[in-house]
């Protein structure tokens, strides 16, 4: 009976195992090997050692893409956290039509990335876009947005807030998981709303903020669709994100070996930043059990 159950177990997980080895672990190891080769995708890989990694240091597009992506991450991730938390706090109150408002804020998050990019191309159009039309209505001459080297990246950062509804839902779940007894006890002690937010809401919500920070960093360093559809990395490489540069090297210039090296450098960067956030979490992430034991 035990052998039969063991055989059935492996039979049921076989599709997942095949998919994992064929589409995850296999390409993972293959890209590690290709990073040390000269490979165009058509001929056999030629071993070159660390040549691709040395080439990165002198590639100006590598540094440009890394700068653009880092700037995007440093601005968009905190904005996502702040806006998502703010909306969640508002929607956590007892207001009329609460479920309708929650649905309205969440719906943009389920729209296809390509469709969102096309929509925002119209919104950000300097001539007839809704954003500039609104600015003209109040006497402000709007910028060229994605057609300007100065405003292209800020425009994509602004556009990223379109999907803040997905983070709002997670924050909302975290807020509703905070015991009301803490707020009641603080109110009886005369704590103001600001003090309750700083001393109760933020500490107990810090695990959720920690999770969203890690996911935000990982996602922001893999931005591709917006730049590919809306700007193609321009103007003047102002929106040349790291993933877009990697795509160009691998699938347009047929430098698969170099693109694999780029991918592994990105992996190391994301892993390093993630470990840094995990290391720092001991100083600012608090759990309900810790606060209860402290009391």
């Amino acid at each position: 009976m035990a052998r039969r159950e063991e055989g059935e177990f492996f039979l049921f997980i076989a599709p997942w195992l095949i998919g994992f080895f064929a589409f995850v672990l296999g390409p993972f190891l293959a890209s590690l090997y290709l990073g040390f080769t000269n490979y165009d995708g058509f001929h056999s890989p030629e071993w070159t050692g660390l040549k691709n990694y040395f080439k990165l240091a002198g590639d100006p597009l590598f540094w440009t893409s890394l700068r653009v992506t880092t700037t995007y991450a440093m601005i968009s991730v905190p904005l996502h956290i702040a806006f998502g938390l703010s909306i969640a706090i508002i929607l956590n109150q007892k207001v009329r039509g609460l479920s309708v408002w929650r649905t309205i804020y969440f719906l943009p998050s389920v729209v296809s990335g390509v469709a969102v990019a096309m929509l925002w191309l119209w919104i950000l159009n300097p001539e007839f876009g809704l954003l500039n039309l609104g600015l003209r209505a109040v006497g402000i001459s709007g910028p060229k947005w994605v057609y300007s080297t100065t405003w292209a990246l800020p425009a994509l950062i602004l556009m990223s807030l379109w999907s803040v509804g997905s983070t709002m839902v997670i924050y909302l779940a975290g807020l509703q998981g905070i015991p009301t007894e803490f707020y009641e006890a603080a109110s009886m002690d005369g704590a103001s709303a600001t003090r309750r937010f700083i001393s109760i809401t933020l500490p107990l919500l810090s695990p959720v903020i920690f999770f969203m920070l890690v996911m935000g960093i990982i996602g922001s360093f893999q931005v591709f669709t917006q730049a590919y559809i809306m700007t193609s990395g321009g103007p003047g490489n102002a929106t040349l994100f790291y993933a877009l540069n990697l795509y160009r090297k691998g699938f347009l210039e047929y430098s698969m070996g170099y693109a694999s090296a780029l991918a592994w450098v990105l992996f190391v960067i994301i892993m390093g930043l993630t470990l840094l956030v995990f290391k720092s979490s001991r100083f600012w992430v608090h759990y309900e059990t810790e606060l209860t034991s402290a009391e």
Side-chain angles (χ1 to χ4, degrees), residues 144-166:
K144 293 184 178 181
W145 297 113
V146 293
Y147 302 98
S148 165
T149 55
T150 304
W151 286 95
L153 187 58
L156 294 187
I157 293 173
L158 175 65
M159 171 189 160
S160 70
L161 297 177
W162 170 270
S163 60
V164 76
S166 59

Side-chain angles (χ1 to χ4, degrees), residues 85-243:
L85 180 56
S86 300
I87 296 172
I89 291 174
I90 294 172
L91 296 183
N92 195 41
Q93 310 302 317
K94 295 180 180 180
V95 296
R96 183 176 298 179
L98 189 58
S99 59
V100 176
W101 286 110
R102 290 175 180 174
T103 304
I104 291 174
Y105 275 105
F106 180 73
L107 275 179
S109 304
V110 302
V111 182
S112 165
V114 175
V116 171
M118 296 302 298
L119 173 65
W120 276 88
L121 268 179
W122 294 332
I123 294 175
L124 297 171
N125 188 283
E127 300 299 329
F128 55 81
L130 292 177
L131 191 53
N132 275 8
L133 287 177
L135 292 175
R136 289 195 198 104
V138 294
I140 300 176
S141 179
K144 293 184 178 181
W145 297 113
V146 293
Y147 302 98
S148 165
T149 55
T150 304
W151 286 95
L153 187 58
L156 294 187
I157 293 173
L158 175 65
M159 171 189 160
S160 70
L161 297 177
W162 170 270
S163 60
V164 76
S166 59
T167 62
M168 176 271 296
V169 172
I170 299 176
Y171 286 126
L172 193 57
L175 287 170
Q176 293 180 349
I178 299 177
T180 57
E181 292 83 359
F182 291 154
Y183 293 110
E184 293 171 356
S187 297
M188 292 177 64
D189 289 339
S192 63
T194 303
R195 174 52 60 187
R196 293 197 298 269
F197 176 76
I198 296 174
S199 301
I200 299 175
T201 304
L202 279 183
L204 289 178
L205 204 61
S206 58
V208 180
I209 297 175
F210 168 68
F211 170 76
M212 296 308 303
L213 177 60
V214 171
M215 298 305 295
I217 291 174
I218 295 173
S220 63
F221 271 87
Q222 300 182 64
V223 172
F224 173 77
T225 305
Q226 300 94 311
Y228 179 72
I229 298 296
M230 299 176 66
T231 64
S232 297
N237 293 326
T239 58
L240 182 63
F241 286 92
Y242 197 101

Side-chain angles (χ1 to χ4, degrees), residues 8-87:
E8 291 175 347
F9 166 75
F10 282 107
L11 179 64
F12 281 119
I13 69 169
W16 181 88
L17 286 175
I18 294 172
F20 174 75
F21 283 107
F23 301 111
V24 179
L25 185 60
F28 186 83
L29 297 177
S31 69
L32 177 61
Y33 165 73
L34 292 176
F36 297 97
T37 68
N38 180 21
Y39 180 54
D40 60 4
F42 301 100
H43 304 89
S44 299
E46 178 185 349
W47 182 266
T48 57
L50 294 173
K51 183 178 179 180
N52 287 328
Y53 293 94
F54 288 132
K55 183 180 177 181
L56 286 173
D59 185 359
L61 290 181
F62 164 74
W63 294 108
T64 299
S65 64
L66 185 59
R67 175 181 56 80
V68 169
T69 307
T70 303
T71 304
Y72 178 89
M74 291 177 63
I75 300 175
S76 67
V77 173
L79 282 179
H80 261 264
I81 293 175
F83 273 79
L85 180 56
S86 300
I87 296 172

